[in-house]
Amino acid sequence: MLLPVALLLLGALTAVVAPRLLARADWPEREPVVALWAWQCVVAGVLMCCALSMTLSAAAAWQAVRGHVFAPAPHDVVEAYALGAGGSWAPATAVALALGGVWTAAMLTREIVRAGARRRKRRIELLLRAPLLPGEEPGADRLVVLEGERPDAWWLPGTAPQLVITTAALRRLKGRQLDAVLAHEQGHAQARHDWLLHCSGALATGFPQVPVFAAFRGEMHRLVELAADDVASRRFGRLTIALALIELNEDRGVFGPCPTPQAHVPQRVHRLLSARPRLTAARRLRLTAAAALVPVVPLLVTFVPGLRALG
């Protein structure tokens, strides 16, 4: 039975080719939301190939699994998949892929638990730096101002999300720049970008030797910032959010010649100031539909033998 092998090869091909195509394209920076969708579809396609290959390998290896997977299928369909010709590799393939699935779930669980612990720690630190006044309810204010000499602002997710901003940032942000920063952070919260970062981080941590997952994590961190920039720029203008980024980051050396962890900030400012036009709605729709086909192709490949038998 060659179908599980074909699915694994399809997954490997997707993992190699799709990231290179996205890296060479010029539209992801112009349409970061579409790019986020495309990356999710690529990773979903790779995982779909592994899951389907595992299922078919298990069906070929064990009669009990085969009975559950193909229970409603006619006899001709079962024969079309040639499950009896699995050979000795079928159990090993099924077990290896199943262990990979369990490991992925474990890494995602660990990432979520760690993120929750970090969030609770930051809330405790926030309460220590900005204690509640008598009669004030925890999380009642969506905006919290901290005394600080370093200009900074961040969104604290959770059941009661809050925007935290330092007094230094308030002194530096002028006019509508503060509103633009608030809109940027709200864009993260409304799109639930934290979940994208958790999932990409879990895959990259769990499978450090798989380049597509490392690229997925890196692009998620970059594209969510571009998407939030666009949310703010549509409400307050590109120049406003670009100036706000400069005011918040110029003391950190990110605009100097030496690389820093925030090296993406100058690229974001340049993107905002260059004001490249968005893609047309028709092209955005075509790209979205094309990306959606990536996880669908493994399903079509899987159903081909059965559809031929029925035909």
Side-chain angles (χ1 to χ4, degrees):
M1 181 182 176
L2 297 179
L3 190 53
V5 178
L7 286 168
L8 289 178
L9 292 177
L10 177 61
L13 182 66
T14 303
V16 172
V17 174
R20 293 183 180 180
L21 293 177
L22 289 171
R24 293 176 182 175
D26 63 345
W27 58 264
E29 287 201 354
R30 298 167 64 182
E31 296 294 342
V33 174
V34 179
L36 284 169
W37 168 252
W39 269 101
Q40 292 175 74
C41 289
V42 167
V43 173
V46 174
L47 296 179
M48 182 71 73
C49 288
C50 294
L52 292 173
S53 179
M54 177 196 69
T55 302
L56 292 176
S57 297
W62 298 291
Q63 182 65 39
V65 177
R66 188 185 314 172
H68 284 87
V69 174
F70 291 91
H75 178 73
D76 291 343
V77 171
V78 179
E79 289 297 322
Y81 283 90
L83 297 174
S88 59
W89 57 266
T93 303
V95 170
L97 292 173
L99 290 176
V102 172
W103 182 249
T104 300
M107 290 297 101
L108 181 58
T109 302
R110 188 183 73 167
E111 183 69 23
I112 293 174
V113 170
R114 287 184 173 181
R118 289 193 299 266
R119 187 164 57 244
R120 287 190 295 271
K121 181 180 178 181
R122 296 183 76 175
R123 287 194 180 278
I124 293 173
E125 293 174 350
L126 183 62
L127 286 174
L128 291 176
R129 296 181 62 183
L132 297 176
L133 298 175
E136 187 178 3
E137 294 292 333
D141 296 325
R142 295 178 66 85
L143 178 63
V144 179
V145 179
L146 291 181
E147 186 71 31
E149 296 300 322
R150 183 176 183 177
D152 203 358
W154 66 92
W155 189 264
L156 193 60
T159 54
Q162 292 176 303
L163 174 66
V164 184
I165 190 166
T166 63
T167 53
L170 290 177
R171 289 193 295 267
R172 303 200 63 165
L173 297 175
K174 304 174 182 66
R176 301 175 62 181
Q177 293 175 7
L178 177 59
D179 295 329
V181 171
L182 177 60
H184 172 98
E185 299 299 337
Q186 286 177 334
H188 284 312
Q190 292 170 358
R192 300 308 303 266
H193 287 159
D194 53 327
W195 281 101
L196 284 178
L197 299 180
H198 293 334
C199 294
S200 62
L203 288 171
T205 303
F207 302 93
Q209 304 301 323
V210 182
V212 66
F213 294 150
F216 180 48
R217 177 174 59 181
E219 285 299 288
M220 289 302 98
H221 281 274
R222 185 178 73 93
L223 291 171
V224 296
E225 295 298 335
L226 300 186
D229 286 344
D230 287 349
V231 171
S233 66
R234 281 193 286 270
R235 292 181 58 186
F236 301 100
R238 290 176 174 267
L239 181 60
T240 302
I241 186 63
L243 291 175
L245 285 173
I246 294 173
E247 292 292 345
L248 289 175
N249 293 280
E250 66 176 347
D251 290 342
R252 303 180 184 182
V254 300
F255 298 101
C258 299
T260 66
Q262 291 83 22
H264 63 279
V265 175
Q267 300 171 3
R268 290 165 57 193
V269 172
H270 175 74
R271 171 180 176 270
L272 289 165
L273 296 179
S274 62
R276 297 182 64 187
R278 296 188 65 187
L279 302 179
T280 62
R283 189 178 178 193
R284 292 199 300 271
L285 182 60
R286 289 196 299 270
L287 289 171
T288 302
L293 289 176
V294 176
V296 174
V297 170
L299 288 172
L300 296 178
V301 171
T302 303
F303 289 134
V304 163
L307 294 175
R308 284 182 176 176
L310 291 175

